[in-house]
PDB file of all heavy atoms in Angstrom:
ATOM      1  N   CYS A  59       4.365 -19.056  -2.800  1.00  0.00           N
ATOM      2  CA  CYS A  59       4.764 -18.635  -4.143  1.00  0.00           C
ATOM      3  C   CYS A  59       3.847 -19.240  -5.206  1.00  0.00           C
ATOM      4  O   CYS A  59       2.954 -20.037  -4.921  1.00  0.00           O
ATOM      5  CB  CYS A  59       6.202 -19.061  -4.412  1.00  0.00           C
ATOM      6  SG  CYS A  59       6.411 -20.849  -4.475  1.00  0.00           S
ATOM      7  N   GLU A  60       4.114 -18.851  -6.459  1.00  0.00           N
ATOM      8  CA  GLU A  60       3.286 -19.314  -7.567  1.00  0.00           C
ATOM      9  C   GLU A  60       3.446 -20.801  -7.821  1.00  0.00           C
ATOM     10  O   GLU A  60       2.563 -21.436  -8.405  1.00  0.00           O
ATOM     11  CB  GLU A  60       3.627 -18.525  -8.825  1.00  0.00           C
ATOM     12  CG  GLU A  60       3.293 -17.042  -8.708  1.00  0.00           C
ATOM     13  CD  GLU A  60       3.568 -16.303 -10.000  1.00  0.00           C
ATOM     14  OE1 GLU A  60       4.100 -16.926 -10.935  1.00  0.00           O
ATOM     15  OE2 GLU A  60       3.254 -15.108 -10.076  1.00  0.00           O
ATOM     16  N   SER A  61       4.558 -21.381  -7.407  1.00  0.00           N
ATOM     17  CA  SER A  61       4.750 -22.820  -7.578  1.00  0.00           C
ATOM     18  C   SER A  61       3.950 -23.629  -6.567  1.00  0.00           C
ATOM     19  O   SER A  61       3.750 -24.827  -6.748  1.00  0.00           O
ATOM     20  CB  SER A  61       6.236 -23.179  -7.460  1.00  0.00           C
ATOM     21  OG  SER A  61       6.959 -22.597  -8.519  1.00  0.00           O
ATOM     22  N   SER A  62       3.537 -22.985  -5.489  1.00  0.00           N
ATOM     23  CA  SER A  62       2.753 -23.675  -4.461  1.00  0.00           C
ATOM     24  C   SER A  62       1.317 -23.875  -4.942  1.00  0.00           C
ATOM     25  O   SER A  62       0.802 -23.070  -5.727  1.00  0.00           O
ATOM     26  CB  SER A  62       2.765 -22.861  -3.169  1.00  0.00           C
ATOM     27  OG  SER A  62       4.092 -22.621  -2.737  1.00  0.00           O
ATOM     28  N   PRO A  63       0.656 -24.921  -4.470  1.00  0.00           N
ATOM     29  CA  PRO A  63      -0.730 -25.166  -4.922  1.00  0.00           C
ATOM     30  C   PRO A  63      -1.670 -24.008  -4.631  1.00  0.00           C
ATOM     31  O   PRO A  63      -2.564 -23.709  -5.421  1.00  0.00           O
ATOM     32  CB  PRO A  63      -1.128 -26.427  -4.135  1.00  0.00           C
ATOM     33  CG  PRO A  63       0.170 -27.101  -3.805  1.00  0.00           C
ATOM     34  CD  PRO A  63       1.166 -26.001  -3.606  1.00  0.00           C
ATOM     35  N   GLY A  64      -1.466 -23.310  -3.504  1.00  0.00           N
ATOM     36  CA  GLY A  64      -2.376 -22.230  -3.151  1.00  0.00           C
ATOM     37  C   GLY A  64      -2.104 -20.923  -3.862  1.00  0.00           C
ATOM     38  O   GLY A  64      -3.018 -20.124  -4.083  1.00  0.00           O
ATOM     39  N   ASP A  65      -0.850 -20.636  -4.218  1.00  0.00           N
ATOM     40  CA  ASP A  65      -0.464 -19.386  -4.884  1.00  0.00           C
ATOM     41  C   ASP A  65      -1.037 -18.182  -4.119  1.00  0.00           C
ATOM     42  O   ASP A  65      -1.600 -17.251  -4.699  1.00  0.00           O
ATOM     43  CB  ASP A  65      -0.954 -19.390  -6.331  1.00  0.00           C
ATOM     44  CG  ASP A  65      -0.353 -18.247  -7.147  1.00  0.00           C
ATOM     45  OD1 ASP A  65       0.583 -17.588  -6.646  1.00  0.00           O
ATOM     46  OD2 ASP A  65      -0.837 -17.991  -8.261  1.00  0.00           O
ATOM     47  N   HIS A  66      -0.879 -18.176  -2.777  1.00  0.00           N
ATOM     48  CA  HIS A  66      -1.555 -17.177  -1.961  1.00  0.00           C
ATOM     49  C   HIS A  66      -0.915 -15.802  -2.043  1.00  0.00           C
ATOM     50  O   HIS A  66      -1.593 -14.796  -1.768  1.00  0.00           O
ATOM     51  CB  HIS A  66      -1.613 -17.654  -0.507  1.00  0.00           C
ATOM     52  CG  HIS A  66      -2.530 -18.823  -0.321  1.00  0.00           C
ATOM     53  ND1 HIS A  66      -2.089 -20.050   0.103  1.00  0.00           N
ATOM     54  CD2 HIS A  66      -3.870 -18.964  -0.531  1.00  0.00           C
ATOM     55  CE1 HIS A  66      -3.111 -20.902   0.175  1.00  0.00           C
ATOM     56  NE2 HIS A  66      -4.205 -20.265  -0.208  1.00  0.00           N
ATOM     57  N   ALA A  67       0.365 -15.703  -2.377  1.00  0.00           N
ATOM     58  CA  ALA A  67       0.983 -14.381  -2.510  1.00  0.00           C
ATOM     59  C   ALA A  67       0.336 -13.604  -3.653  1.00  0.00           C
ATOM     60  O   ALA A  67       0.025 -12.415  -3.522  1.00  0.00           O
ATOM     61  CB  ALA A  67       2.486 -14.522  -2.736  1.00  0.00           C
ATOM     62  N   ARG A  68       0.124 -14.255  -4.786  1.00  0.00           N
ATOM     63  CA  ARG A  68      -0.528 -13.582  -5.913  1.00  0.00           C
ATOM     64  C   ARG A  68      -1.996 -13.278  -5.585  1.00  0.00           C
ATOM     65  O   ARG A  68      -2.511 -12.206  -5.939  1.00  0.00           O
ATOM     66  CB  ARG A  68      -0.430 -14.432  -7.184  1.00  0.00           C
ATOM     67  CG  ARG A  68      -1.187 -13.858  -8.380  1.00  0.00           C
ATOM     68  CD  ARG A  68      -0.940 -14.650  -9.632  1.00  0.00           C
ATOM     69  NE  ARG A  68       0.426 -14.479 -10.102  1.00  0.00           N
ATOM     70  CZ  ARG A  68       0.836 -13.437 -10.842  1.00  0.00           C
ATOM     71  NH1 ARG A  68      -0.016 -12.474 -11.181  1.00  0.00           N
ATOM     72  NH2 ARG A  68       2.083 -13.357 -11.243  1.00  0.00           N
ATOM     73  N   LYS A  69      -2.655 -14.215  -4.937  1.00  0.00           N
ATOM     74  CA  LYS A  69      -4.053 -13.970  -4.577  1.00  0.00           C
ATOM     75  C   LYS A  69      -4.166 -12.771  -3.639  1.00  0.00           C
ATOM     76  O   LYS A  69      -5.119 -11.986  -3.718  1.00  0.00           O
ATOM     77  CB  LYS A  69      -4.650 -15.223  -3.935  1.00  0.00           C
ATOM     78  CG  LYS A  69      -4.840 -16.378  -4.918  1.00  0.00           C
ATOM     79  CD  LYS A  69      -5.386 -17.609  -4.205  1.00  0.00           C
ATOM     80  CE  LYS A  69      -5.578 -18.756  -5.205  1.00  0.00           C
ATOM     81  NZ  LYS A  69      -6.052 -19.999  -4.530  1.00  0.00           N
ATOM     82  N   HIS A  70      -3.186 -12.614  -2.759  1.00  0.00           N
ATOM     83  CA  HIS A  70      -3.184 -11.449  -1.872  1.00  0.00           C
ATOM     84  C   HIS A  70      -3.050 -10.162  -2.681  1.00  0.00           C
ATOM     85  O   HIS A  70      -3.738  -9.162  -2.388  1.00  0.00           O
ATOM     86  CB  HIS A  70      -2.040 -11.573  -0.868  1.00  0.00           C
ATOM     87  CG  HIS A  70      -1.867 -10.369   0.003  1.00  0.00           C
ATOM     88  ND1 HIS A  70      -2.712 -10.066   1.042  1.00  0.00           N
ATOM     89  CD2 HIS A  70      -0.934  -9.366  -0.022  1.00  0.00           C
ATOM     90  CE1 HIS A  70      -2.319  -8.947   1.627  1.00  0.00           C
ATOM     91  NE2 HIS A  70      -1.239  -8.504   1.002  1.00  0.00           N
ATOM     92  N   PHE A  71      -2.169 -10.155  -3.682  1.00  0.00           N
ATOM     93  CA  PHE A  71      -2.029  -8.971  -4.544  1.00  0.00           C
ATOM     94  C   PHE A  71      -3.339  -8.678  -5.272  1.00  0.00           C
ATOM     95  O   PHE A  71      -3.779  -7.525  -5.336  1.00  0.00           O
ATOM     96  CB  PHE A  71      -0.898  -9.191  -5.548  1.00  0.00           C
ATOM     97  CG  PHE A  71      -1.011  -8.358  -6.794  1.00  0.00           C
ATOM     98  CD1 PHE A  71      -0.831  -6.990  -6.758  1.00  0.00           C
ATOM     99  CD2 PHE A  71      -1.337  -8.956  -8.002  1.00  0.00           C
ATOM    100  CE1 PHE A  71      -0.966  -6.221  -7.906  1.00  0.00           C
ATOM    101  CE2 PHE A  71      -1.465  -8.209  -9.159  1.00  0.00           C
ATOM    102  CZ  PHE A  71      -1.282  -6.827  -9.109  1.00  0.00           C
ATOM    103  N   GLU A  72      -3.954  -9.730  -5.830  1.00  0.00           N
ATOM    104  CA  GLU A  72      -5.197  -9.517  -6.577  1.00  0.00           C
ATOM    105  C   GLU A  72      -6.314  -8.990  -5.672  1.00  0.00           C
ATOM    106  O   GLU A  72      -7.186  -8.230  -6.117  1.00  0.00           O
ATOM    107  CB  GLU A  72      -5.619 -10.833  -7.239  1.00  0.00           C
ATOM    108  CG  GLU A  72      -4.660 -11.287  -8.331  1.00  0.00           C
ATOM    109  CD  GLU A  72      -4.976 -12.673  -8.844  1.00  0.00           C
ATOM    110  OE1 GLU A  72      -5.811 -13.361  -8.196  1.00  0.00           O
ATOM    111  OE2 GLU A  72      -4.398 -13.091  -9.868  1.00  0.00           O
ATOM    112  N   HIS A  73      -6.277  -9.352  -4.382  1.00  0.00           N
ATOM    113  CA  HIS A  73      -7.323  -8.918  -3.461  1.00  0.00           C
ATOM    114  C   HIS A  73      -7.060  -7.517  -2.917  1.00  0.00           C
ATOM    115  O   HIS A  73      -7.997  -6.710  -2.760  1.00  0.00           O
ATOM    116  CB  HIS A  73      -7.435  -9.917  -2.307  1.00  0.00           C
ATOM    117  CG  HIS A  73      -8.421  -9.515  -1.253  1.00  0.00           C
ATOM    118  ND1 HIS A  73      -9.785  -9.515  -1.475  1.00  0.00           N
ATOM    119  CD2 HIS A  73      -8.237  -9.096   0.043  1.00  0.00           C
ATOM    120  CE1 HIS A  73     -10.399  -9.107  -0.388  1.00  0.00           C
ATOM    121  NE2 HIS A  73      -9.494  -8.845   0.551  1.00  0.00           N
ATOM    122  N   THR A  74      -5.787  -7.187  -2.638  1.00  0.00           N
ATOM    123  CA  THR A  74      -5.463  -5.910  -1.981  1.00  0.00           C
ATOM    124  C   THR A  74      -4.902  -4.865  -2.926  1.00  0.00           C
ATOM    125  O   THR A  74      -4.954  -3.675  -2.622  1.00  0.00           O
ATOM    126  CB  THR A  74      -4.444  -6.151  -0.857  1.00  0.00           C
ATOM    127  OG1 THR A  74      -3.213  -6.636  -1.432  1.00  0.00           O
ATOM    128  CG2 THR A  74      -4.977  -7.172   0.147  1.00  0.00           C
ATOM    129  N   GLY A  75      -4.292  -5.305  -4.048  1.00  0.00           N
ATOM    130  CA  GLY A  75      -3.627  -4.363  -4.940  1.00  0.00           C
ATOM    131  C   GLY A  75      -2.243  -3.969  -4.478  1.00  0.00           C
ATOM    132  O   GLY A  75      -1.614  -3.090  -5.085  1.00  0.00           O
ATOM    133  N   HIS A  76      -1.721  -4.594  -3.411  1.00  0.00           N
ATOM    134  CA  HIS A  76      -0.367  -4.296  -2.949  1.00  0.00           C
ATOM    135  C   HIS A  76       0.629  -4.861  -3.964  1.00  0.00           C
ATOM    136  O   HIS A  76       0.687  -6.090  -4.144  1.00  0.00           O
ATOM    137  CB  HIS A  76      -0.122  -4.911  -1.575  1.00  0.00           C
ATOM    138  CG  HIS A  76      -1.024  -4.354  -0.520  1.00  0.00           C
ATOM    139  ND1 HIS A  76      -1.182  -4.953   0.717  1.00  0.00           N
ATOM    140  CD2 HIS A  76      -1.828  -3.249  -0.507  1.00  0.00           C
ATOM    141  CE1 HIS A  76      -2.049  -4.241   1.442  1.00  0.00           C
ATOM    142  NE2 HIS A  76      -2.442  -3.201   0.714  1.00  0.00           N
ATOM    143  N   PRO A  77       1.440  -4.013  -4.631  1.00  0.00           N
ATOM    144  CA  PRO A  77       2.165  -4.477  -5.823  1.00  0.00           C
ATOM    145  C   PRO A  77       3.479  -5.201  -5.554  1.00  0.00           C
ATOM    146  O   PRO A  77       3.917  -5.998  -6.378  1.00  0.00           O
ATOM    147  CB  PRO A  77       2.425  -3.178  -6.595  1.00  0.00           C
ATOM    148  CG  PRO A  77       2.520  -2.128  -5.530  1.00  0.00           C
ATOM    149  CD  PRO A  77       1.569  -2.544  -4.443  1.00  0.00           C
ATOM    150  N   VAL A  78       4.163  -4.911  -4.440  1.00  0.00           N
ATOM    151  CA  VAL A  78       5.540  -5.390  -4.277  1.00  0.00           C
ATOM    152  C   VAL A  78       5.615  -6.425  -3.164  1.00  0.00           C
ATOM    153  O   VAL A  78       5.092  -6.213  -2.058  1.00  0.00           O
ATOM    154  CB  VAL A  78       6.499  -4.227  -3.961  1.00  0.00           C
ATOM    155  CG1 VAL A  78       7.931  -4.745  -3.794  1.00  0.00           C
ATOM    156  CG2 VAL A  78       6.452  -3.187  -5.074  1.00  0.00           C
ATOM    157  N   MET A  79       6.229  -7.518  -3.465  1.00  0.00           N
ATOM    158  CA  MET A  79       6.532  -8.526  -2.452  1.00  0.00           C
ATOM    159  C   MET A  79       8.015  -8.863  -2.553  1.00  0.00           C
ATOM    160  O   MET A  79       8.671  -8.558  -3.535  1.00  0.00           O
ATOM    161  CB  MET A  79       5.675  -9.779  -2.663  1.00  0.00           C
ATOM    162  CG  MET A  79       5.939 -10.543  -3.926  1.00  0.00           C
ATOM    163  SD  MET A  79       7.292 -11.722  -3.794  1.00  0.00           S
ATOM    164  CE  MET A  79       7.268 -12.477  -5.432  1.00  0.00           C
ATOM    165  N   ARG A  80       8.526  -9.487  -1.519  1.00  0.00           N
ATOM    166  CA  ARG A  80       9.921  -9.936  -1.515  1.00  0.00           C
ATOM    167  C   ARG A  80       9.986 -11.381  -1.044  1.00  0.00           C
ATOM    168  O   ARG A  80       9.042 -11.903  -0.442  1.00  0.00           O
ATOM    169  CB  ARG A  80      10.795  -9.066  -0.625  1.00  0.00           C
ATOM    170  CG  ARG A  80      10.414  -9.080   0.837  1.00  0.00           C
ATOM    171  CD  ARG A  80      11.537  -8.539   1.712  1.00  0.00           C
ATOM    172  NE  ARG A  80      12.613  -9.514   1.853  1.00  0.00           N
ATOM    173  CZ  ARG A  80      13.798  -9.226   2.378  1.00  0.00           C
ATOM    174  NH1 ARG A  80      14.078  -8.004   2.763  1.00  0.00           N
ATOM    175  NH2 ARG A  80      14.719 -10.165   2.496  1.00  0.00           N
ATOM    176  N   SER A  81      11.103 -12.007  -1.352  1.00  0.00           N
ATOM    177  CA  SER A  81      11.286 -13.381  -0.893  1.00  0.00           C
ATOM    178  C   SER A  81      11.366 -13.402   0.631  1.00  0.00           C
ATOM    179  O   SER A  81      12.010 -12.548   1.247  1.00  0.00           O
ATOM    180  CB  SER A  81      12.561 -13.970  -1.495  1.00  0.00           C
ATOM    181  OG  SER A  81      12.834 -15.236  -0.931  1.00  0.00           O
ATOM    182  N   PHE A  82      10.715 -14.384   1.216  1.00  0.00           N
ATOM    183  CA  PHE A  82      10.746 -14.554   2.665  1.00  0.00           C
ATOM    184  C   PHE A  82      11.536 -15.808   3.020  1.00  0.00           C
ATOM    185  O   PHE A  82      11.268 -16.487   4.008  1.00  0.00           O
ATOM    186  CB  PHE A  82       9.316 -14.631   3.214  1.00  0.00           C
ATOM    187  CG  PHE A  82       9.217 -14.355   4.690  1.00  0.00           C
ATOM    188  CD1 PHE A  82       9.887 -13.271   5.249  1.00  0.00           C
ATOM    189  CD2 PHE A  82       8.460 -15.172   5.523  1.00  0.00           C
ATOM    190  CE1 PHE A  82       9.799 -13.021   6.613  1.00  0.00           C
ATOM    191  CE2 PHE A  82       8.366 -14.931   6.886  1.00  0.00           C
ATOM    192  CZ  PHE A  82       9.034 -13.847   7.431  1.00  0.00           C
ATOM    193  N   GLU A  83      12.521 -16.104   2.153  1.00  0.00           N
ATOM    194  CA  GLU A  83      13.414 -17.238   2.387  1.00  0.00           C
ATOM    195  C   GLU A  83      14.717 -16.734   2.991  1.00  0.00           C
ATOM    196  O   GLU A  83      15.178 -15.643   2.657  1.00  0.00           O
ATOM    197  CB  GLU A  83      13.697 -17.975   1.074  1.00  0.00           C
ATOM    198  CG  GLU A  83      12.470 -18.566   0.413  1.00  0.00           C
ATOM    199  CD  GLU A  83      11.880 -19.718   1.197  1.00  0.00           C
ATOM    200  OE1 GLU A  83      12.643 -20.454   1.829  1.00  0.00           O
ATOM    201  OE2 GLU A  83      10.636 -19.870   1.180  1.00  0.00           O
ATOM    202  N   PRO A  84      15.351 -17.502   3.884  1.00  0.00           N
ATOM    203  CA  PRO A  84      16.604 -17.066   4.509  1.00  0.00           C
ATOM    204  C   PRO A  84      17.694 -16.802   3.473  1.00  0.00           C
ATOM    205  O   PRO A  84      17.886 -17.584   2.541  1.00  0.00           O
ATOM    206  CB  PRO A  84      16.985 -18.255   5.410  1.00  0.00           C
ATOM    207  CG  PRO A  84      15.696 -18.961   5.665  1.00  0.00           C
ATOM    208  CD  PRO A  84      14.876 -18.787   4.428  1.00  0.00           C
TER     209      PRO A  84
END
């Protein structure tokens, strides 16, 4: 998530353009 140091979910969107994500928490 954006709170994580890597912020990889957003980086994935910026790289692929895939617009929708969902929480992957139980």
Side-chain angles (χ1 to χ4, degrees):
C59 66
E60 296 183 355
S61 295
S62 304
D65 191 11
H66 291 117
R68 175 174 291 277
K69 290 178 180 177
H70 174 75
F71 156 69
E72 293 172 349
H73 176 70
T74 64
H76 297 166
V78 180
M79 66 85 178
R80 62 163 285 169
S81 173
F82 199 46
E83 298 292 327

